[in-house]
Amino acid sequence: MPESANRSRFRDLDFGLIGFYLVCAAVLTFIMLPVFVVFFYSFFGSAVGGLGSPTLEFYEGAISNNLDAIILSIQIAVITVIVDIIIGVPAAYTLVRYDFPFKRLAMELTILPMAIPGIVIGVAIVRSWGAPRFGIDIGGTVEIIIIGHILFTIPFVIQVTMATLESVNYRRLEESARSLGAGWLRTFLYVIVPNIYNGIIAGAIMAFALSLGEFNISFFVYTPQNTTLPIALFGGFRTATVGEASALASIFILLIVGLLLIVQLISDEGVKLGGNV
Amino acid sequence: MTEVTLDGITKRFGTETAIEDISLTVREGEVLSIVGPSGCGKSTTLRTIAGFEEPTEGRIHFDDRDVTDVRAEERNVGLVFQNYALFKNMTVLENVTFGPRMQGVPKEERRAKAMELLELVGIDDLADRDPSSLSGGQQQRVGLVRALAIEPEILLLDEPMTGLDAKLKKRLRREIGKLLTDIGVTTLYVTHDQTQAMAMADRVAVLNDGHIEQIGTPETVYEQPANQFVANFIGTSNLLPATANGSTVDLGFTTIEAGGLSPTNGEVTVVTRPDDFTLNGGPIEASVLDTFYIGGTVQMVVELPDENQISLNVSPKEVDVSDLEPGDRINLSLDASNVHVVN
């Protein structure tokens, strides 16, 4: 009907709707503006503060001067994520699956590091592990940075894993597997883990990105020999050229965006594991 | 084939008693259905047999073997859930071979067995598909076949058809019924749907508030309900208060021959079914409250002289619904041969 078609086209031009689009566009601009500015300066920045001609030299400088920091940050993030998964996934399963005294309290404790400011964790880590304790002396080492990062990121892995467990109705899966003759370990490895694999990977990538960008805790425990990428970036903005610091920031953003794309891909595609005829 | 016996099973969660002193036997190759409203303890009963709940009291036997303390994974119990709980990380075939694989059956053998079972339910062509790409009815069959692949001592079905549409339910009911008869596996079928229970089961156990109200064939629980609860839960009933007096039962508006029906004298309840009344100008006067034309039957709600409301089914061939208005007076007769008296 032409009349109703006209009416619906008229509704599309509704001023309220246009208002919503405008708000949405403003928010997106607000989010993206700093990113664009950093990208812009990474190509056009100049040593004296004005604008230069487009160049890739800042990227060369950023990479060659900070290669150690980039590699160290990636190494720390990888180890952090591996430890997060090895202890976080069984912890999440235990918290969701079993009843025990103070279960609620235990669940809330796992969120605590998310809620406590990183700077507070940083101070606490230095107080706890900065000096030798129980015969363990890790002050000023990479290990202490990793401990801080695990503390900061593991709540995310635990939270995502718990949510995924609930969403796949793990209890029915587990009961089916056990009725079919699988003990708890085979049930966990062949059925539970593969069915929550997407959640684990999503949590892991989130933890990886958080570790890569972690500044507050690292700032308290790093040494000049153990400088991570965010610390280098902080130093860069104070000492290096605008262009080089912007290039380093851009590399950072690209790393994170790449990781987010992988998360997206995994949640869209799904992954199949554990099957065997 | 296995006979499964529950002997005085009680399960308490803290101070809550989920089931109390349940004793029943699922005979070899029988389909026993447990029906009851939600929260009556039917799922707890099933989970106790499967080994997921430890009974607070009582013992469970598979034939002569006491399995009360045997772990779920060692009980060899087939389990089918309402949502099928298929393993989404595995193909249909991998789902079906999972049980035999866990039990250490050689690869070729478990594959062949799985294909044979899939063929039996007509979905062998879906063997390499992902469960999530199947329809509800197909997933249901995979769930069933997966449970049967371990050649279970007993097959436990927990509301396996809830959530499927009515037509599919009817078809699956027939198919699954036939499959269970062919295979001859001892089966316990838990459902809140008394129609499914009656259609599928050799015997029905009516559960209420943690205890068994009655166990019997579908005919028995329908025609001779042990009490008001069973009469109300199984099918549609009109429960009418009456006074039993020796050989007669006085309903107030009419008197019927007790014919050995009445267990006691005094206050009793007469269970009548909607089909027991006929609209033929009989002695019982009633007024029409509502009529519902539902195809092959007209369901009527009428009010008796003592203000009790009853449902009755009449054939559209007998009654032209358009002629009946609420408030109209009609005359009924009661066929006393089918009525049943409970205390």
Side-chain angles (χ1 to χ4, degrees):
Chain A
M1 290 281 123
E3 200 188 344
S4 69
N6 281 341
R7 202 182 300 141
S8 73
R9 207 172 297 141
F10 180 73
R11 240 197 352 245
D12 284 342
L13 284 170
D14 191 306
F15 288 112
L17 199 60
I18 292 170
F20 279 116
Y21 280 130
L22 284 176
V23 170
C24 189
V27 169
L28 289 178
T29 310
F30 181 69
I31 291 170
M32 291 309 293
L33 189 65
V35 175
F36 284 130
V37 169
V38 160
F39 272 109
F40 183 78
Y41 275 102
S42 73
F43 295 111
F44 294 98
S46 90
V48 288
L51 290 180
S53 46
T55 170
L56 284 175
E57 69 178 272
F58 300 127
Y59 279 92
E60 279 176 48
I63 291 174
S64 59
N65 291 336
N66 298 290
L67 196 59
D68 286 349
I70 294 173
I71 289 172
L72 181 67
S73 266
I74 291 175
Q75 285 171 333
I76 289 175
V78 167
I79 294 168
T80 299
V81 164
I82 290 170
V83 177
D84 277 356
I85 291 175
I86 290 173
I87 64 178
V89 172
Y93 181 66
T94 310
L95 284 170
V96 171
R97 170 69 181 81
Y98 296 99
D99 281 322
F100 48 87
F102 305 113
K103 171 172 165 157
R104 275 246 68 89
L105 184 71
M107 282 175 136
E108 276 156 24
L109 277 180
T110 63
I111 315 176
L112 206 56
M114 281 162 112
I116 295 177
I119 198 161
V120 176
I121 298 179
V123 172
I125 292 270
V126 170
R127 284 276 164 271
S128 311
W129 300 105
R133 302 218 186 259
F134 315 115
I136 302 170
D137 182 8
I138 53 171
T141 61
V142 178
E143 283 84 346
I144 194 169
I145 303 180
I146 294 173
I147 288 179
H149 283 201
I150 293 169
L151 194 58
F152 175 59
T153 57
I154 201 164
F156 293 89
V157 174
I158 293 178
Q159 290 302 311
V160 176
T161 306
M162 289 202 296
T164 314
L165 276 168
E166 299 287 6
S167 76
V168 298
N169 208 341
Y170 72 95
R171 206 176 269 264
R172 291 282 169 272
L173 290 175
E174 186 189 299
E175 287 172 353
S176 299
R178 289 191 53 205
S179 76
L180 293 169
W184 70 267
L185 186 62
R186 292 199 291 182
T187 298
F188 184 71
L189 293 179
Y190 292 162
V191 175
I192 300 296
V193 170
N195 272 281
I196 59 168
Y197 187 75
N198 295 355
I200 295 173
I201 293 295
I205 289 175
M206 211 196 294
F208 191 90
L210 287 168
S211 166
L212 214 54
E214 207 293 318
F215 179 80
N216 291 326
I217 301 171
S218 309
F219 188 70
F220 276 88
V221 292
Y222 86 100
T223 63
Q225 291 75 43
N226 300 329
T227 305
T228 62
L229 182 54
I231 304 285
L233 191 58
F234 179 66
F237 260 98
R238 291 192 307 180
T239 57
T241 64
V242 172
E244 193 175 310
S246 300
L248 192 54
S250 303
I251 291 170
F252 209 138
I253 292 170
L254 289 175
L255 275 173
I256 301 292
V257 168
L259 288 171
L260 290 179
L261 285 177
I262 296 174
V263 176
Q264 200 91 57
L265 199 71
I266 287 168
S267 53
D268 287 351
E269 294 291 317
V271 176
K272 311 243 175 264
L273 281 177
N276 183 356
V277 183
Chain B
M1 278 191 265
T2 312
E3 178 176 278
V4 173
T5 314
L6 305 192
D7 187 11
I9 298 291
T10 296
K11 176 67 188 175
R12 292 188 198 92
F13 297 99
T15 54
E16 270 317 280
T17 302
I19 49 176
E20 180 135 41
D21 198 21
I22 298 263
S23 293
L24 61 82
T25 301
V26 193
R27 296 171 192 151
E28 270 183 43
E30 170 186 58
V31 179
L32 178 79
S33 184
I34 298 188
V35 281
S38 54
C40 71
K42 53 190 191 297
S43 284
T44 306
T45 309
L46 176 134
R47 295 172 56 76
T48 309
I49 298 173
F52 300 130
E53 304 290 353
E54 195 184 334
T56 315
E57 283 164 37
R59 310 300 296 176
I60 302 165
H61 287 87
F62 290 179
D63 287 335
D64 293 331
R65 188 163 73 109
D66 186 334
V67 297
T68 318
D69 302 317
V70 176
R71 282 200 302 241
E73 56 266 35
E74 282 153 19
R75 277 195 198 188
N76 205 29
V77 161
L79 202 53
V80 182
F81 287 115
Q82 179 184 338
N83 55 13
Y84 328 125
L86 298 180
F87 306 140
K88 300 253 162 40
N89 55 314
M90 305 179 195
T91 63
V92 167
L93 186 61
E94 285 166 349
N95 264 277
V96 179
T97 54
F98 183 83
R101 181 179 147 209
M102 292 299 111
Q103 294 174 337
V105 176
K107 187 165 184 163
E108 283 313 310
E109 193 181 326
R110 66 191 190 224
R111 247 191 91 96
K113 173 86 189 167
M115 286 310 293
E116 192 183 305
L117 281 166
L118 285 169
E119 206 178 317
L120 205 59
V121 294
I123 52 169
D124 47 322
D125 53 326
L126 304 176
D128 295 322
R129 294 266 292 273
D130 286 337
S132 45
S133 71
L134 306 186
S135 71
Q138 290 166 338
Q139 291 192 25
Q140 221 274 341
R141 282 172 219 164
V142 177
L144 185 67
V145 162
R146 182 178 68 178
L148 289 172
I150 59 169
E151 293 173 7
E153 310 252 6
I154 181 169
L155 181 66
L156 303 175
L157 307 173
D158 191 1
E159 302 272 8
M161 305 216 202
T162 310
L164 299 175
D165 68 67
K167 269 196 177 147
L168 183 58
K169 235 186 232 183
K170 237 181 192 166
R171 207 178 78 206
L172 277 175
R173 186 167 81 197
R174 224 175 40 236
E175 284 181 18
I176 293 176
K178 185 174 178 306
L179 184 69
L180 295 181
T181 317
D182 288 352
I183 294 181
V185 61
T186 306
T187 305
L188 187 80
Y189 181 178
V190 163
T191 179
H192 69 280
D193 181 342
Q194 43 102 5
T195 317
Q196 292 288 348
M198 308 240 309
M200 299 269 301
D202 298 314
R203 287 190 305 149
V204 175
V206 183
L207 215 64
N208 177 36
D209 206 13
H211 63 269
I212 296 175
E213 298 277 5
Q214 189 175 9
I215 303 185
T217 61
E219 293 82 3
T220 310
V221 292
Y222 185 80
E223 286 164 15
Q224 292 154 39
N227 51 44
Q228 289 193 28
F229 179 84
V230 177
N232 249 329
F233 192 79
I234 303 290
T236 308
S237 302
N238 301 304
L239 299 180
L240 301 170
T243 314
N245 188 5
S247 61
T248 60
V249 178
D250 183 5
L251 282 154
F253 52 88
T254 186
T255 302
I256 53 174
E257 289 295 317
L261 281 173
S262 178
T264 49
N265 279 340
E267 300 293 307
V268 292
T269 302
V270 173
V271 181
T272 65
R273 300 294 184 178
D275 303 318
D276 295 340
F277 291 90
T278 330
L279 216 170
N280 58 357
I284 305 166
E285 285 196 351
S287 68
V288 176
L289 293 176
D290 259 318
T291 57
F292 306 97
Y293 176 79
I294 54 157
T297 318
V298 179
Q299 294 181 341
M300 296 178 67
V301 182
V302 303
E303 190 175 82
L304 296 173
D306 60 1
E307 296 190 341
N308 273 307
Q309 295 180 4
I310 60 168
S311 307
L312 50 132
N313 295 341
V314 292
S315 160
K317 288 171 192 150
E318 294 170 49
V319 171
D320 188 352
V321 199
S322 52
D323 283 355
L324 283 173
E325 297 283 331
D328 281 358
R329 314 294 298 179
I330 52 171
N331 284 74
L332 307 171
S333 61
L334 173 60
D335 178 3
S337 63
N338 289 324
V339 302
H340 182 70
V341 179
V342 295
N343 284 326

